């Protein structure tokens, strides 16, 4: 009988056949061989990704053609097919750096739960000139799930990199199976399967390891669901929902808009809090925290796009809900104070390295051929980052 692999790498993909080959290659080039790669092809075109996968001949690849599924179901299909001891989700717009799996394997024994989270480099390519964003490498640290849950309900986007979301994270299959058994529901759920899985994990474990090392690169920001949602570029949500009817659930939040990313995330959290109970009931989202998280998204994306992205009814709901108009105006003044702005900007500058990508600008670990070939072809215009994509 075949032994179960150490890692199961889930690669749910949709309409990114121009990128998925780089993700596959980055896995197959790893010097840690004990893994399986589960590719769930949810493309609208039944041949595009299939033809890319056929270009690789490796018995560790398991290809599953889905098509027409919603994103969550595609993720669960990949998980159900996995047989490995540790689960990693690799987005189709991501690549592993050389030696990543071997390094992650060494870190697992340092985590009390066996869960390891790491940060990532990213290419921001919404503007005319692509920018490579690299977090500073740091020391490894054990994180307490209660501390992280408190940060989630206070400012989830600031602490996003610490969450055990499956993406840039490895989770023991035994923990996933235990959560499925206790909840009686699929591990990945709407609307954001990565975030929902993180909330479930935080509800059931005590500590995990946050590595200060960088193991992955997000090769494009322009193809992400968050980008398309926040910029209002989806005509509808059928692209994410497949043939499933889109029925947004905003119970517990007073802004009823699916276009505000953090609004959807908080709605996801509140649904899980109500469903799972337990220690999640100790971590509540205050009206002030909710208001400030949404206001930060409104300001940030509107400045980037040089126009107000929200509709009038969304702004009206934000300022009139919760603690009321006058209290929300006071929150706004406090949030935009000079002192607060300076503190945030110092935090951004101290935690990130942002450089324009040129032909002379190598990626971290540029000795790996996947990094060099991707950047060279990207800059030469051989790779066209399409305007529409989904990570599931």
């Amino acid at each position: 009988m075949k032994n179960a692999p150490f890692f199961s790498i889930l690669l749910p993909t949709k309409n990114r056949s121009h990128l998925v080959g780089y993700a596959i290659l980055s896995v197959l080039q790893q010097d840690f061989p004990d893994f399986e790669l589960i590719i769930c092809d949810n493309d609208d075109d039944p041949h595009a990704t299939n033809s890319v996968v056929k270009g690789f001949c490796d018995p560790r690849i398991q290809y599953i053609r889905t098509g027409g599924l919603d994103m969550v179901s595609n993720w669960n299909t990949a998980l159900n097919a996995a047989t490995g001891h540790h689960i990693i989700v690799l987005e189709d717009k991501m690549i592993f750096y050389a030696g990543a799996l071997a390094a992650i394997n060494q870190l697992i024994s340092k985590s009390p739960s066996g869960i390891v989270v790491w940060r990532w480099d990213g290419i921001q390519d919404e503007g005319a000139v692509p920018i490579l964003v690299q977090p500073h490498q740091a020391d490894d640290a054990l994180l307490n799930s209660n501390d992280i849950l408190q940060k989630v309900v206070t400012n989830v986007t600031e602490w996003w990199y610490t969450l055990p979301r499956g993406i840039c994270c490895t989770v023991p299959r035994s923990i996933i199976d235990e959560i499925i058994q206790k909840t009686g529901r699929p591990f990945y759920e709407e609307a954001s399967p990565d975030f929902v899985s993180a909330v479930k994990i935080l509800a059931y474990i005590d500590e995990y390891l946050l590595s200060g090392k960088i193991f992955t690169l997000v090769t494009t920001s322009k193809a992400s669901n968050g980008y398309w949602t926040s910029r209002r570029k989806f005509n509808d949500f059928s692209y994410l929902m497949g043939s499933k009817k889109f029925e947004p659930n905003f119970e517990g939040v007073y802004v009823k808009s699916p276009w505000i990313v953090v609004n959807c995330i908080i709605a996801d959290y509140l649904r899980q809090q109500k469903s799972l109970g337990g220690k999640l009931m100790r971590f509540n989202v205050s009206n002030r925290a909710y208001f400030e998280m949404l206001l930060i998204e409104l300001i940030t994306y509107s400045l980037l796009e040089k126009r107000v992205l929200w509709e009038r009814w969304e702004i009206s709901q934000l300022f009139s809900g919760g603690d009321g108009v006058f209290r929300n105006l006071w929150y706004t003044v406090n949030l935009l104070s000079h002192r607060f702005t300076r503190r945030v900007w110092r935090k951004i500058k101290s935690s990130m390295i942002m450089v324009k990508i040129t032909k002379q600008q190598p990626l971290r670990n540029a000795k790996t051929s996947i990094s060099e070939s991707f950047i060279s072809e990207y800059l030469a215009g051989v790779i066209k980052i399409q305007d529409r994509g989904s990570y599931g």
Side-chain angles (χ1 to χ4, degrees):
M1 184 176 180
K2 183 181 178 181
N3 293 329
F6 189 81
F7 287 117
S8 286
I9 300 167
L10 314 184
L11 208 173
T13 181
K14 181 168 183 174
N15 294 2
R16 287 190 186 145
S17 58
H18 59 298
L19 292 177
V20 72
Y22 290 93
I24 296 170
L25 186 58
S26 76
V27 176
L28 299 182
Q29 287 185 342
Q30 293 295 307
D31 55 6
F32 184 90
D34 192 8
F35 64 82
E36 64 179 358
L37 176 59
I38 312 294
I39 303 170
C40 267
D41 172 14
N42 200 29
D43 275 13
D44 296 328
D45 182 340
H47 306 294
T49 292
N50 181 267
S51 63
V52 174
V53 176
K54 285 181 177 178
F56 298 94
C57 183
D58 194 301
R60 295 171 296 182
I61 294 177
Q62 181 181 164
Y63 172 79
I64 302 171
R65 169 62 187 165
T66 51
L69 291 183
D70 59 277
M71 181 173 63
V72 172
S73 296
N74 202 44
W75 281 45
N76 281 314
T77 298
L79 177 62
N80 292 338
T83 62
H85 297 295
H86 296 264
I87 306 297
I88 300 174
V89 177
L90 182 70
E91 292 185 286
D92 51 12
K93 65 178 186 290
M94 298 177 72
I95 59 174
F96 277 122
Y97 285 131
L101 291 184
I104 295 165
N105 174 51
Q106 293 297 315
L107 291 171
I108 288 174
S109 62
K110 299 180 181 180
S111 172
S113 60
I115 296 172
V116 179
V117 177
W118 59 89
R119 300 183 74 172
W120 58 93
D121 291 339
I123 296 176
Q124 292 185 353
D125 54 356
E126 301 105 35
V129 179
I131 295 175
L132 175 62
V133 181
Q134 295 180 303
H136 284 291
Q137 296 199 27
D139 294 332
D140 299 340
L142 285 180
L143 301 184
N144 181 277
S145 61
N146 290 341
D147 294 339
I148 298 303
L149 282 168
Q150 185 59 50
K151 296 179 189 305
V152 165
V153 300
T154 305
N155 190 350
V156 64
T157 52
E158 182 177 351
W159 299 98
W160 191 254
Y161 70 95
T162 67
L163 300 180
R165 300 181 296 123
I167 301 170
C168 296
C169 168
T170 181
V171 183
R173 181 60 187 258
S174 58
I175 291 179
I176 293 174
D177 289 342
E178 182 181 355
I179 291 173
I180 293 173
Q181 183 178 16
K182 287 182 176 179
T183 62
R185 301 199 307 273
F187 185 61
Y188 300 117
E189 293 187 275
E190 296 174 354
S192 303
D194 56 333
F195 175 71
V196 169
S197 68
V199 174
K200 290 182 178 182
I201 289 169
L202 293 171
Y204 285 105
I205 60 105
D206 294 322
E207 288 186 315
Y208 61 96
L209 184 71
L210 174 65
S211 174
K213 299 178 179 64
I214 312 296
F215 297 131
T216 44
L217 166 73
V218 179
T219 59
T220 172
S221 60
K222 194 165 63 175
S224 73
N225 291 328
Y227 172 82
W228 280 90
T229 301
S230 62
R231 271 67 167 189
R232 320 256 162 161
K233 293 180 181 290
F234 281 128
N235 294 324
D236 55 55
F237 284 84
S238 61
Y239 190 77
L240 302 181
M241 301 304 296
S243 57
K244 187 176 179 180
K245 184 179 179 181
F246 176 58
E247 297 178 345
N249 183 346
F250 295 110
E251 181 181 355
V253 297
Y254 54 81
V255 178
K256 309 298 182 181
S257 172
W259 301 103
I260 304 168
V261 175
V262 75
N263 194 51
C264 298
I265 290 169
I266 296 303
D268 281 347
Y269 174 79
L270 294 176
R271 283 194 297 274
Q272 292 302 315
Q273 183 189 48
K274 181 178 179 181
S275 174
L276 299 178
K279 74 176 183 180
L280 293 183
M281 302 307 294
R282 306 202 305 267
F283 302 97
N284 299 304
V285 181
S286 69
N287 286 333
R288 177 173 182 172
Y290 174 77
F291 175 86
E292 290 184 347
M293 283 188 276
L294 267 66
L295 184 62
I296 289 171
E297 180 170 325
L298 166 62
I299 294 171
T300 302
Y301 290 130
S302 294
L303 287 174
L304 290 173
E305 292 293 307
K306 298 182 175 60
R307 62 188 176 90
V308 177
L309 292 173
W310 290 17
E311 301 291 340
R312 288 183 180 178
W313 66 268
E314 292 169 316
I315 297 175
S316 175
Q317 284 186 358
L318 177 63
F319 278 88
S320 62
D323 292 333
V325 173
F326 293 107
R327 180 71 67 172
N328 288 336
L329 287 173
W330 183 83
Y331 295 155
T332 303
V333 172
N334 184 69
L335 185 70
L336 298 179
S337 67
H338 182 60
R339 184 171 152 189
F340 176 87
T341 305
R342 282 192 303 170
R343 188 171 74 247
V344 171
W345 180 240
R346 282 199 306 269
K347 183 178 182 63
I348 292 172
K349 289 178 70 176
S350 65
S351 62
M352 295 287 185
I353 304 170
M354 300 181 68
V355 292
K356 293 181 179 180
I357 297 175
T358 68
K359 290 185 179 180
Q360 289 74 43
Q361 174 60 47
L363 287 176
R364 191 193 312 276
N365 293 344
K367 289 184 289 186
T368 168
S369 61
I370 180 67
S371 298
E372 291 176 337
S373 63
F374 180 88
I375 289 299
S376 62
E377 292 190 46
Y378 178 89
L379 294 171
V382 176
I383 300 174
K384 300 296 184 182
I385 305 300
Q386 297 178 356
D387 287 337
R388 196 172 175 89
S390 169
Y391 59 77

